[in-house]
Amino acid sequence: HSATAVDLEIAVQRYVDTHAQYPVDMGSLPQDVQEYLLPEDGWIQSHDPEIVAKAGELASGLAFQAEVAEAILSWVRAKISFDFTFGLPYDALSTFHNRSALCGGFANLAVALMRAAGIPARVHLGCLASEGWAVPIQGGWHAWVETYFPDVGWVASDPQTTANFIDTSHISVGFHQCGRAGTTIRRTSHLVTLS
């Protein structure tokens, strides 16, 4: 860190070591996590019958929570397109009906489906580096999701690209310069193999 530069090290693990069973044992969830099972009026309509039915269909026959999260995220990624008009509403139900939204719509719908399936989930806002994404060199604000696994904790996913991990272009906290003039985000890669 200097007056003109901040170096961030972002590590990614693409495998989540979870054995959390599905359905989730609601009674075993910490009190502060239980709120992430509830609908949010106007944004996360996880109680809507269409969203409840789709969540049930996607979770049907699955035995592990990570499988359900992956099924939901894969469905959202396959069925929702990016709204290049930037004009559509991006609450969960509108995204479900329109089949198109900005990143916030992808995240809101994924969270609503997970909550409808009984999996705690929340939307996360952060900064996105430009490499591989259609954002300027100074980065851009982006929404993704976090899912709670009782044996691991909160795990991030990007419903536009990944399930149960996010890549190093996602800067989740502590980077307030995102999108500001004069900011440049450069990514370097360091592959570490675990033995």
Side-chain angles (χ1 to χ4, degrees):
H1 182 36
S2 71
T4 59
V6 175
D7 287 331
L8 301 173
E9 183 174 334
I10 302 171
V12 173
Q13 180 177 334
R14 292 182 185 237
Y15 174 74
V16 177
D17 189 15
T18 178
H19 302 287
Q21 301 287 311
Y22 184 80
V24 177
D25 176 9
M26 304 298 177
S28 70
L29 294 173
Q31 190 69 26
D32 63 335
V33 171
Q34 291 182 14
E35 71 181 274
Y36 297 106
L37 289 165
L38 303 174
E40 295 178 37
D41 289 338
W43 290 106
I44 312 286
Q45 300 99 334
S46 54
H47 61 300
D48 181 85
E50 290 179 285
I51 289 179
V52 170
K54 179 52 72 178
E57 176 189 321
L58 294 169
S60 179
L62 300 177
F64 294 97
Q65 189 178 328
E67 293 174 312
V68 177
E70 187 166 334
I72 288 170
L73 292 162
S74 294
W75 185 86
V76 170
R77 187 169 40 260
K79 300 297 183 184
I80 308 302
S81 62
F82 191 81
D83 173 24
F84 288 101
T85 71
F86 297 89
L88 293 173
Y90 53 92
D91 62 279
L93 195 55
S94 295
T95 301
F96 184 80
H97 289 146
N98 294 329
R99 295 293 201 256
S100 184
L102 298 173
C103 60
F106 281 78
N108 290 332
L109 178 56
V111 166
L113 288 164
M114 285 194 216
R115 289 181 184 184
I119 296 174
R122 62 189 181 191
V123 175
H124 185 89
L125 298 175
C127 186
L128 190 62
S130 60
E131 188 175 316
W133 292 84
V135 296
I137 195 161
Q138 63 265 26
W141 292 107
H142 186 56
W144 56 89
V145 302
E146 293 179 327
T147 308
Y148 185 81
F149 294 95
D151 57 346
V152 177
W154 291 102
V155 174
S157 300
D158 189 326
Q160 290 182 257
T161 59
T162 63
N164 299 321
F165 79 95
I166 54 174
D167 67 24
T168 57
S169 62
H170 296 71
I171 304 169
S172 55
V173 294
F175 189 67
H176 304 291
Q177 297 89 345
C178 185
R180 289 187 183 171
T183 298
T184 302
I185 300 174
R186 286 188 300 257
R187 288 179 61 200
T188 58
S189 296
H190 302 283
L191 180 63
V192 177
T193 340
L194 301 174
S195 41

